[in-house]
Amino acid sequence: MTAQAFSAQTATAIAVSGLSAGYDGVQVLHDISFTLQKGEAVALLGRNGSGKSTLATALFGMEPQVSGQITIHGADVTGWASHRIARQGIALVPQGRGVFPDLTVEENLDMAALWSRKQPCRSWTRERVFDSFPRLAERRRFHSASLSGGERQLLAIARALLTQAQTIVLDEPSEGLSPRAIEEVIIGTVGQLKSEGYTLLIAEQNMTMALQLAERVLILDHGTLVHDGGSAAFLADEALQREHLGL
Ligand SMILES: Nc1ncnc2c1ncn2[C@@H]1O[C@H](COP(=O)(O)OP(=O)(O)OP(=O)(O)O)[C@@H](O)[C@H]1O
Ligand SMILES: [Mg+2]
């Protein structure tokens, strides 16, 4: 079953309006507004420290919010606890992978599957993960700490899928990976999810990689959303890239 097949109620996956957030009284995000329609793949670009991870985690209620509204799959989740937001069909693949290194591949997957056992539609099972990603099946009894970077990223993506989310936020999925792993794991796997109708928000420093997947680009600069437009127009605009990404 594809993502689109079980999320028919509203056309909007993520709607953020006037979002400001930060840490310990230091404001990092300033008045951010954007919308992702279901099935869109959107790149979130920005220099180091521009606020990509803060925005990604703020969507999950993990950062103190100063103001604004966040709607996920039609529900206003502003102020909700993270675990409740996750039940809205959105999952985060955190920067640095977010797998438990001391647990085996199988145990990592079981934890994610256990969490979603009460979801009405359980399209992803551990068996489907092993069928879809044979590399994880081969290493099912290995501790996650012993996996390659690409395999760990694959495991983190599989964990997100096992929550049965239809919208997946990936925070710097290519970080630390070889060009070959980026091609196989990120472009291959995430590209497949895109073709199946998943909604994807991909925070990246690797613009070339992100633009292979995304049809739209958001740019953060010092915590402000300075651009929201199609990938082709963005690629053609060298002045924009220079000003906000330093390219
Ligand atoms: N836990 C935290 N406590 C305090 N400040 C933080 C915290 N996390 C991030 N910051 C600050 O918030 C700002 C934005 O950081 P953030 O990690 O969101 O940027 P980023 O765009 O994801 O960067 P990178 O590309 O390096 O991952 C930075 O100034 C950073 O120092
Ligand atoms: Mg980051």
Side-chain angles (χ1 to χ4, degrees):
M1 183 183 285
T2 67
Q4 277 169 335
F6 51 89
S7 54
Q9 313 90 315
T10 163
T12 304
I14 301 175
V16 171
S17 175
L19 174 67
S20 296
Y23 309 92
D24 301 325
V26 179
Q27 192 174 338
V28 172
L29 300 179
H30 306 275
D31 196 19
I32 307 273
S33 300
F34 66 91
T35 301
L36 255 71
Q37 300 301 330
K38 279 184 183 161
E40 270 195 297
V42 176
L44 176 63
L45 305 179
R47 294 185 180 98
N48 268 326
S50 59
K52 301 180 297 297
S53 296
T54 304
L55 176 54
T57 49
L59 293 177
F60 293 83
M62 293 157 72
E63 309 302 348
Q65 190 174 332
V66 181
S67 64
Q69 185 184 45
I70 301 172
T71 306
I72 308 286
H73 295 144
D76 181 351
V77 303
T78 313
W80 286 19
S82 301
H83 67 273
R84 201 171 155 217
I85 294 176
R87 296 206 188 283
Q88 271 306 112
I90 186 167
L92 175 67
V93 179
Q95 189 166 6
R97 317 283 185 259
V99 300
F100 297 98
D102 295 335
L103 299 184
T104 64
V105 166
E106 215 162 43
E107 288 165 343
N108 264 286
L109 294 173
D110 284 349
M111 276 185 68
L114 186 71
W115 185 88
S116 69
R117 68 193 185 283
K118 289 188 183 149
Q119 294 290 86
C121 172
R122 298 189 66 240
S123 150
W124 279 93
T125 59
R126 190 174 77 175
E127 290 64 40
R128 182 170 168 204
V129 165
F130 287 148
D131 283 348
S132 304
F133 310 121
R135 280 162 69 175
L136 293 183
E138 285 162 23
R139 288 157 180 75
R140 60 197 293 163
R141 294 192 222 293
F142 284 54
H143 281 104
S144 309
S146 71
L147 299 178
S148 71
E151 288 161 355
R152 265 205 299 280
Q153 186 66 50
L154 202 53
L155 178 58
I157 293 171
R159 279 175 52 87
L161 294 172
L162 280 168
T163 71
Q164 317 302 329
Q166 306 109 54
T167 295
I168 302 190
V169 179
L170 298 116
D171 192 359
E172 302 225 22
S174 76
E175 193 179 34
L177 297 189
S178 67
R180 188 169 159 203
I182 291 174
E183 194 61 39
E184 285 178 13
V185 179
I186 310 302
I187 306 293
T189 308
V190 181
Q192 179 66 28
L193 297 179
K194 177 181 170 171
S195 68
E196 290 181 13
Y198 282 85
T199 311
L200 302 167
L201 180 61
I202 307 162
E204 260 303 336
Q205 296 242 14
N206 185 334
M207 180 182 102
T208 313
M209 184 239 104
L211 290 178
Q212 284 189 61
L213 294 164
E215 60 261 4
R216 208 174 112 214
V217 175
L218 305 174
I219 303 179
L220 275 180
D221 195 343
H222 293 91
T224 299
L225 191 65
V226 292
H227 179 80
D228 179 351
S231 295
F234 165 76
L235 269 174
D237 193 340
E238 287 180 15
L240 180 74
Q241 295 171 28
R242 214 170 22 251
E243 183 181 355
H244 297 298
L245 302 174
L247 299 172

